[in-house]
Amino acid sequence: MNPQKLKGFRDFSAEDLKLRYRVIDTLKEVFSLFGFSPLETPALEMGETLKGKYGPEADKLLYTFTDRGGREVGMRYDLTVPLSRFIAENSGSITLPFKRYQIQPVWRAENTQRGRYREFLQCDADIVGSRSPLADAEIIAVSYAVFQKLGLSYAAIQINSRQVLFKLLTNAKISSPEIQLSVLRSLDKINKIGKDGVEKELSAKGLSSSLIETVFANIQKAEPDENLAAVIALAKELGVPAEKLCFESTLSRGLDYYTGVIFEISTTEGSLGSLAGGGRYDNLIEKLGGPALPATGIALGFERIIEVLKESGLGKYKETGISVLVIPVTESETSVALKTLRQLRQNGLGAEIYPELGAKMEKQLKYADRKGRDFAVIIGPEETANKTVVLKNLRTQSQEVVSFDDLTKQLESCSRESLE
Ligand code: AMP
């Protein structure tokens, strides 16, 4: 059998995970700072929960199958629909407004490319139960704070409103909600296929060329409505610089469930597409059988953030703390070595031992080198007799004899010196 992974699914090495964990920690920290609490939902949802929420094109990307009980189930496609299902199911016991963050993988049967996978992490922050522009402004502010904290301050936020778009489509005499959504799905591709591509798609959908012209003319003239202007003003007061908040009348967001303010965050070079996207979805919870609760939120595209961090050199990880390999020279020193190992670990110093009894000294040193350990603590018969160890700095190759009792203190001071 040829061992291979599925396309769009990835393994992560220790090196990858160092950066991924650090970014996850930063996200959790910022979300908590803004008063969001964590939530996790299952990987599988009922098929009917997911279907018909995103739009026909997105629906085709759902991973669905029939389980052993004959039910149609689907894998999480995003975190917004599962949150809405959770709220619909638990509305009686939830205190509103409800602010949650969620960091979990989602699955989409996409055509893969750089920054586009079939299994990827999304990181969402949402506020349920407030119709106020302040809720949308808070979502924008928390997203901006995340990018600031990660050092990606050049990221800009494009903002628009589905209400503005629905109105300009109605003014162009496109009043059917179905057709309006269909036009917005095409408009969402403008950065990928250009204005010409969107026009072609709209024409294939049956819109006349004069109607398409009117739609684009209306988009060109569009201005923020009162609610959107309030969101922008409040986001500024929450610390998002004016120049980072750009009203973009062509922004439409691809998913059907958006009803109001929509936003997207991208880098200036834009090679990776959007880094984050979100908006207001006031009907989704009700559609899932819950009460008519308004909601707004953002999905941060974790994978693309990681790519951008790596590209801009911000993905380098400075190790903190030191790491030690305890080396018994022969098998007779095993007990003393294990005692030393325990003492170091109890004092919070990262320490390991080669996991094989009686391994050759050379093999152990090679292992320490390969794993990038800072120090070797070498214990031979002489050291055991004298209650000492040989402390070898693997960076400089210098070594000294240290009494067993002083080892922890010595390593702690070494670590501070070597990190400074
Ligand atoms: P969406 O739920 O489609 O609005 O996506 C929200 C964010 O998730 C986007 O801004 C992207 O950064 C990210 N994203 C969407 N699809 C993928 C994918 N296939 N692979 C990696 N990231 C993605």
Side-chain angles (χ1 to χ4, degrees):
M1 187 185 161
N2 208 8
Q4 59 176 339
K5 289 190 301 292
L6 289 164
K7 213 168 112 191
F9 291 74
R10 292 161 298 159
D11 296 315
F12 297 108
S13 67
E15 205 51 44
D16 296 329
L17 289 171
K18 267 184 212 165
L19 176 62
R20 293 176 75 84
Y21 290 165
R22 178 162 64 93
V23 173
I24 290 173
D25 285 346
T26 304
L27 293 171
K28 287 181 180 168
E29 191 188 320
V30 178
F31 288 150
S32 303
L33 204 63
F34 278 69
F36 291 83
S37 306
L39 175 77
E40 291 199 358
T41 63
L44 288 184
E45 293 280 354
M46 305 288 278
E48 63 175 11
T49 300
L50 305 178
K51 283 193 159 169
K53 308 303 178 306
Y54 303 104
E57 286 171 36
D59 270 7
K60 286 195 204 120
L61 306 182
L62 283 170
Y63 280 102
T64 53
F65 61 96
T66 307
D67 74 3
R68 292 184 185 220
R71 280 169 296 259
E72 194 188 23
V73 295
M75 296 177 77
R76 251 192 332 248
Y77 175 92
D78 72 351
L79 304 177
T80 309
V81 171
L83 166 70
S84 302
R85 191 268 310 141
F86 171 84
I87 301 284
E89 201 177 332
N90 299 285
S91 61
S93 54
I94 285 170
T95 312
L96 296 171
F98 179 76
K99 290 171 74 176
R100 83 90 176 76
Y101 76 82
Q102 187 167 351
I103 302 176
Q104 286 192 284
V106 301
W107 296 271
R108 297 182 185 182
E110 304 232 41
N111 283 327
T112 53
Q113 61 187 63
R114 179 167 162 260
R116 190 170 288 280
Y117 306 100
R118 292 187 173 164
E119 177 181 59
F120 59 98
L121 207 62
Q122 276 200 333
C123 314
D124 285 29
D126 292 71
I127 303 178
V128 177
S130 167
R131 235 170 260 284
S132 166
L134 182 54
D136 302 290
E138 270 281 69
I139 294 293
I140 292 170
V142 76
S143 317
Y144 178 72
V146 164
F147 282 90
Q148 281 287 104
K149 186 87 186 179
L150 290 171
L152 299 173
S153 50
Y154 51 82
I157 305 164
Q158 286 87 44
I159 180 165
N160 196 6
S161 165
R162 279 265 167 117
Q163 290 306 320
V164 171
L165 290 167
F166 290 144
K167 198 163 166 200
L168 70 85
L169 291 176
T170 307
N171 289 344
K173 306 271 183 298
I174 301 174
S175 46
S176 143
E178 267 314 301
I179 302 178
Q180 289 192 341
L181 284 178
S182 178
V183 172
L184 296 189
R185 269 179 239 130
S186 296
L187 184 61
D188 179 55
K189 298 178 190 155
I190 198 158
N191 286 332
K192 268 185 236 150
I193 59 176
K195 187 168 170 250
D196 287 353
V198 176
E199 281 174 357
K200 263 192 212 132
E201 208 176 288
L202 291 178
S203 165
K205 284 179 176 175
L207 269 69
S208 69
S209 50
S210 69
L211 188 53
I212 296 171
E213 214 172 284
T214 313
V215 168
F216 274 106
N218 288 1
I219 288 174
Q220 203 77 47
K221 286 187 298 208
E223 296 277 349
D225 62 9
E226 199 183 320
N227 182 69
L228 185 53
V231 173
I232 294 172
L234 289 164
K236 283 183 200 158
E237 286 194 69
L238 284 165
V240 185
E243 70 276 12
K244 298 282 182 216
L245 274 169
C246 320
F247 171 65
E248 176 51 66
S249 59
T250 58
L251 177 74
S252 70
R253 305 280 299 131
L255 306 175
D256 275 3
Y257 52 59
Y258 292 114
T259 55
V261 175
I262 42 179
F263 24 81
E264 214 160 87
I265 301 181
S266 56
T267 56
T268 34
E269 93 254 35
S271 65
L272 266 172
S274 87
L275 295 181
R280 179 166 279 284
Y281 49 100
D282 286 348
N283 301 333
L284 189 54
I285 297 166
E286 193 177 17
K287 210 170 162 186
L288 284 160
L293 284 174
T296 182
I298 186 125
L300 302 175
F302 183 84
E303 311 300 341
R304 299 191 189 165
I305 291 174
I306 294 286
E307 298 268 338
V308 176
L309 283 172
K310 280 189 192 159
E311 240 171 47
S312 51
L314 293 164
K316 293 212 180 64
Y317 188 75
K318 196 175 161 218
E319 289 278 2
T320 53
I322 59 151
S323 60
V324 175
L325 186 76
V326 178
I327 299 181
V329 175
T330 69
E331 199 169 337
S332 314
E333 283 82 46
T334 303
S335 283
V336 185
L338 294 183
K339 191 175 157 205
T340 311
L341 187 66
R342 248 181 32 225
Q343 181 190 308
L344 295 176
R345 286 175 175 168
Q346 273 162 4
N347 284 288
L349 290 157
E352 66 169 330
I353 190 159
Y354 191 81
E356 195 181 295
L357 287 171
K360 289 225 167 65
M361 168 98 164
E362 197 192 353
K363 200 171 177 185
Q364 299 188 62
L365 278 168
K366 237 186 211 157
Y367 177 79
D369 186 48
R370 191 157 46 83
K371 291 197 76 177
R373 297 287 165 249
D374 303 302
F375 291 94
V377 172
I378 303 165
I379 306 167
E382 200 179 318
E383 286 77 31
T384 306
N386 298 338
K387 292 197 167 40
T388 58
V389 302
V390 172
L391 181 61
K392 180 168 183 169
N393 183 327
L394 296 170
R395 300 269 151 90
T396 61
Q397 298 301 315
S398 63
Q399 60 181 55
E400 59 184 314
V401 176
V402 177
S403 90
F404 181 81
D405 292 336
D406 289 345
L407 178 63
T408 306
K409 229 189 289 155
Q410 183 83 359
L411 272 171
E412 275 169 351
S413 68
C414 284
S415 78
R416 245 169 269 128
E417 271 164 36
S418 63
L419 287 175
E420 271 155 18

